Amino acid sequence: MSEYRVLPGPEHFLPPAAASMGIQLPNPGEAHINGVIASEEKAYEEAARQFLMAKVPTIFPGPLVLWAWNEKAAKKATAIRHLYNTLKDCVQPGQKAMLIPMPDYRPKYPKINPEVEINPNHPNLTIWHNKIDCCMFVGVHCHQANLSLKIIRGGTSCYTIAMCAQAGHEDAMLSFRDASVEKIMRLADTIKRLKGTVQPRLETAKNGASS
Amino acid sequence: MSKERIQISEDLYDIMPSDYQDLVKSATYGKEDRGWKDIGSSKELIEQHSLCAGCPESMAFRYILASLPNPEDTVMVGSTGCTSLVFPMVAVHNIHSLFGNQNAIASGLKRALSVRFPGRVKDVVVLAGDGATVDIGLDMTLQAWFRQEKFTTICFDNELYANTGGQESGLMQKGFVAKMAPVGKLFDKVRLPEIARESGCHYVVNCTVSKPSLVEKVIRNAVHVAREIGPTYLQLYTPCILEIGKNSMEGLQEMRDSEKPTERFAYKEYVSEPAKQLLAELAAKDKERKAAAKQLASQASA
């Protein structure tokens, strides 16, 4: 088993792909936390804890859910809105839950507006601008998610979660696989259940995600 | 993806940036008579771009994107140059190719699209600068024409390599002195429109982009001819105001000056016989459709 751990950065300018460091993807029914295979149950708890601890917990929905290209996508969008509303209700004063879209993957130089969107080619701009210290990707095509997750790990101290509809992401600090409406709802339920039991790290994250 | 499926998920609609909301609400995808006159009253398929203030290329982009007959089923192929700064802001599928490789990419793309979507009209439009079309990519440009590939090639001719500081290009006029070409061009401007005609293009136009209605007409003709008959080529003068020492406001006048009858961008058009026939048929159908619509409107108001 690899000694390498996928941890919040900033790792360095060009962090290695976690796969090249020996990190493996979880099997169906499993997840990974920091590159170590874990049960899904444990991952729900950890993801909820990270969200509740963060000063600016943020969900980044991608094109696969932002655009209602089939019925399933529209249902996932509803679940994501529910997750965001739950998160907003569960955070304490001083914390700010955000929902920022990644509408497409065009490298929008130099026009990106980090207040309203995130772009996979320079996701660090949105992380820095909003001082996001924990984020979750959902509905982003795998190759673009990998690119973003690596850039975020390289240049920021943001904790990354991937709610992946395929086999998961090694480059996230925590990754689910086979994402579904049920899994998103279950994460919302876990956040609700852990509400008030987790202390937000408001002091340590005074300046948000560092550059 | 068909335009009917370009809908934002209801539950996440409010967080979508307004440019995407506008594209869904008021862009002219699927509109039969779309054209440059839609500019100002509907969402354009180009968002803010990073070209220089007053750049005629930006005008050309706006007119072309407003005039494409089938934008939701069009793929544009770009190449290295100022145009590649704009494509990220364009709401039409596009591919960036290696410098000069655009017509080779477009050939494969067009063939693949016709295999993948046999019953559906898919247009491919190459849009590249003069360096990519005439110098670095001349081989790919000509070979695509020789093979009668069914797509349109548009060359934004600014008569030099603009975004690298003003080097000499094949389309630069003889004697012109540029910042990075201090001796002056020793040879004549390559006569690509004539070469295009001899290489098998069925519709060739050489003009400026000073008149939006003209740009609309030639774009529509070129795309329709390429769709049905064979390769088409448009050479559009989009002067680089910085490299020829003009101010932001002077681009339009520069084009007007260059399109006078004796100048190098005087309107020139070549249409092959099959293309002439096709365009006449399309014009007749269009006339018929408009007459029917007019009649319907008068009946409704009566």
Side-chain angles (χ1 to χ4, degrees):
Chain A
M1 193 186 188
S2 172
E3 295 295 311
Y4 185 79
R5 292 291 172 266
V6 189
L7 300 170
E11 191 160 336
H12 51 71
F13 182 57
L14 286 172
S20 73
M21 303 304 287
I23 301 300
Q24 293 179 353
L25 290 171
N27 287 318
E30 293 176 338
H32 88 72
I33 302 172
N34 300 130
V36 180
I37 303 298
S39 68
E40 262 188 354
E41 191 54 47
K42 202 172 164 193
Y44 284 120
E45 300 260 335
E46 181 61 15
R49 231 189 320 270
Q50 289 293 339
F51 267 144
L52 291 168
M53 274 198 295
K55 192 178 181 190
V56 187
T58 303
I59 302 167
F60 294 132
L64 289 168
V65 291
L66 286 167
W67 298 95
W69 55 289
N70 63 22
E71 208 182 320
K72 204 167 154 190
K75 282 183 181 163
K76 271 190 189 170
T78 308
I80 290 162
R81 174 59 79 170
H82 172 73
L83 174 65
Y84 170 67
N85 289 340
T86 307
L87 190 56
K88 216 165 52 165
D89 291 344
C90 292
V91 293
Q92 298 180 21
Q95 291 176 288
K96 185 187 175 191
M98 295 186 85
L99 182 60
I100 298 179
M102 184 187 282
D104 64 24
Y105 306 133
R106 296 178 288 170
K108 297 169 102 179
Y109 289 111
K111 204 213 128 209
I112 181 83
N113 180 353
E115 280 179 21
V116 299
E117 64 183 315
I118 181 167
N119 187 277
N121 306 285
H122 37 78
N124 46 331
L125 301 182
T126 300
I127 304 269
W128 288 338
H129 182 88
N130 299 293
K131 301 186 188 307
I132 294 165
D133 53 347
C134 177
C135 69
M136 185 178 96
F137 281 72
V138 53
V140 178
H141 286 87
C142 294
H143 50 293
Q144 303 290 351
N146 274 340
L147 172 71
S148 296
L149 290 165
K150 216 150 81 72
I151 294 172
I152 294 171
R153 201 168 93 242
T156 81
S157 60
C158 182
Y159 189 94
T160 52
I161 300 168
M163 181 59 86
C164 175
Q166 307 291 330
H169 287 282
E170 311 96 334
D171 284 299
M173 276 123 238
L174 188 156
S175 177
F176 295 95
R177 56 167 294 161
D178 305 318
S180 60
V181 169
E182 291 71 31
K183 287 194 180 184
I184 297 167
M185 299 300 264
R186 192 164 163 201
L187 179 57
D189 291 345
T190 312
I191 290 171
K192 213 170 177 177
R193 182 163 53 79
L194 294 185
K195 180 185 176 184
T197 65
V198 180
Q199 194 59 32
R201 49 166 186 260
L202 295 180
E203 295 75 32
T204 51
K206 210 185 308 179
N207 297 316
S210 71
S211 57
Chain B
M1 187 184 281
S2 98
K3 65 182 186 305
E4 288 76 25
R5 294 166 80 182
I6 306 177
Q7 295 299 328
I8 300 172
S9 291
E10 212 176 304
D11 285 283
L12 299 175
Y13 187 87
D14 61 321
I15 61 163
M16 278 296 245
S18 57
D19 42 328
Y20 294 89
Q21 293 179 357
D22 292 344
L23 274 175
V24 173
K25 270 191 298 194
S26 66
T28 51
Y29 295 115
K31 186 182 168 194
E32 203 165 8
D33 286 326
R34 65 190 308 276
W36 75 273
K37 285 181 181 165
D38 296 323
I39 293 175
S41 59
S42 63
K43 172 68 180 168
E44 288 183 56
L45 304 188
I46 179 171
E47 194 53 39
Q48 292 172 24
H49 55 76
S50 50
L51 295 178
C52 306
C55 175
E57 197 168 276
S58 65
M59 292 163 62
F61 253 107
R62 295 178 72 184
Y63 301 155
I64 290 169
L65 289 168
S67 309
L68 288 173
N70 192 24
E72 62 276 11
D73 280 308
T74 297
V75 184
M76 299 184 81
V77 182
S79 195
T80 307
C82 291
T83 55
S84 50
L85 301 174
V86 182
F87 274 114
M89 303 301 173
V90 165
V92 172
H93 286 296
N94 58 78
I95 295 176
H96 179 77
S97 69
L98 280 176
F99 206 166
N101 214 24
Q102 61 282 348
N103 280 42
I105 299 276
S107 302
L109 178 66
K110 178 70 188 182
R111 292 177 186 200
L113 288 172
S114 44
V115 172
R116 174 68 181 79
F117 302 98
R120 190 156 171 175
V121 174
K122 291 275 184 185
D123 297 322
V124 172
V125 175
V126 167
L127 201 167
D130 48 307
T133 308
V134 183
D135 294 339
I136 299 165
L138 185 62
D139 182 10
M140 275 62 80
T141 307
L142 293 183
Q143 295 291 345
W145 293 343
F146 297 158
R147 291 191 306 264
Q148 292 288 292
E149 301 288 353
K150 289 183 165 181
F151 61 82
T152 298
T153 304
I154 302 172
C155 173
F156 276 2
D157 180 6
N158 57 15
E159 304 194 299
L160 42 65
Y161 288 81
N163 74 350
T164 47
Q167 290 81 10
E168 178 180 316
S169 89
L171 288 187
M172 184 186 268
Q173 49 185 311
K174 189 176 181 179
F176 191 83
V177 174
K179 286 178 197 158
M180 298 282 180
V183 177
K185 176 94 179 284
L186 298 175
F187 316 101
D188 281 324
K189 184 179 175 78
V190 173
R191 291 160 65 183
L192 198 60
E194 285 87 338
I195 295 172
R197 187 189 66 204
E198 296 302 319
S199 304
C201 284
H202 290 267
Y203 183 78
V204 180
V205 167
N206 177 61
C207 66
T208 79
V209 297
S210 69
K211 300 181 187 75
S213 53
L214 181 69
V215 177
E216 179 183 316
K217 186 191 94 176
V218 301
I219 291 291
R220 292 183 72 86
N221 286 352
V223 171
H224 282 128
V225 171
R227 194 187 285 171
E228 303 293 338
I229 298 172
T232 56
Y233 174 62
L234 305 177
Q235 187 164 317
L236 307 177
Y237 183 41
T238 54
C240 175
I241 45 178
L242 295 185
E243 296 298 336
I244 60 173
K246 301 270 178 182
N247 291 321
S248 299
M249 299 299 285
E250 295 172 332
L252 185 57
Q253 194 54 49
E254 165 63 21
M255 290 190 285
R256 284 177 178 158
D257 292 342
S258 308
E259 67 192 5
K260 288 176 181 161
T262 53
E263 293 293 333
R264 63 198 186 286
F265 286 98
Y267 184 81
K268 268 187 283 185
E269 183 185 71
Y270 164 74
V271 192
S272 72
E273 281 310 317
K276 268 183 200 162
Q277 204 180 330
L278 174 79
L279 293 176
E281 283 167 20
L282 288 174
K285 269 187 206 165
D286 202 37
K287 204 172 166 186
E288 214 171 278
R289 189 174 51 79
K290 280 181 181 161
K294 203 173 170 184
Q295 201 179 354
L296 207 66
S298 62
Q299 279 171 0
S301 63

